[in-house]
Amino acid sequence: MIGTITAFLIAYWFYKSAEATGRNPLSSAGLGFLAYLIPCIAWTLAVTPGLRDAVEHNPGTLSGLFVNYAYILTGAGCAAGVKFLHFRQAKP
């Protein structure tokens, strides 16, 4: 649920940035959504199973919280990087 809300917030962030810079808002929102979603899915499929296995051996730590929500941080970081590259101004 938190990941879905974050995806829509990132899409909205890209949409408003596109409006402010005169770019196509709908395609920019789609770019933001995919820039968040693809790393989230990759993280969930590639990294999370190994982390969950490690947490099962030491269940009393805060690592479990990290394992459950690390994909959100990964996706948001990738989306922020894509936003920086997509909306940077070209130098004349």
Side-chain angles (χ1 to χ4, degrees):
M1 181 72 175
I2 294 172
T4 305
I5 292 169
T6 306
F8 286 122
L9 288 174
I10 287 174
Y12 181 73
W13 181 37
F14 272 69
Y15 184 89
K16 294 307 272 183
S17 295
E19 281 184 337
T21 58
R23 294 182 183 254
N24 184 349
L26 193 56
S27 67
S28 294
L31 175 68
F33 185 78
L34 291 176
Y36 171 78
L37 185 65
I38 292 170
C40 284
I41 291 172
W43 180 275
T44 300
L45 295 176
V47 178
T48 299
L51 291 176
R52 285 193 192 274
D53 185 47
V55 170
E56 286 179 8
H57 297 297
N58 194 5
T61 63
L62 288 175
S63 301
L65 186 63
F66 173 75
V67 169
N68 290 333
Y69 298 109
Y71 73 96
I72 295 172
L73 296 175
T74 302
C78 289
V82 168
K83 183 182 182 299
F84 172 74
L85 293 174
H86 183 66
F87 289 107
R88 72 176 173 190
Q89 297 292 328
K91 293 182 179 180

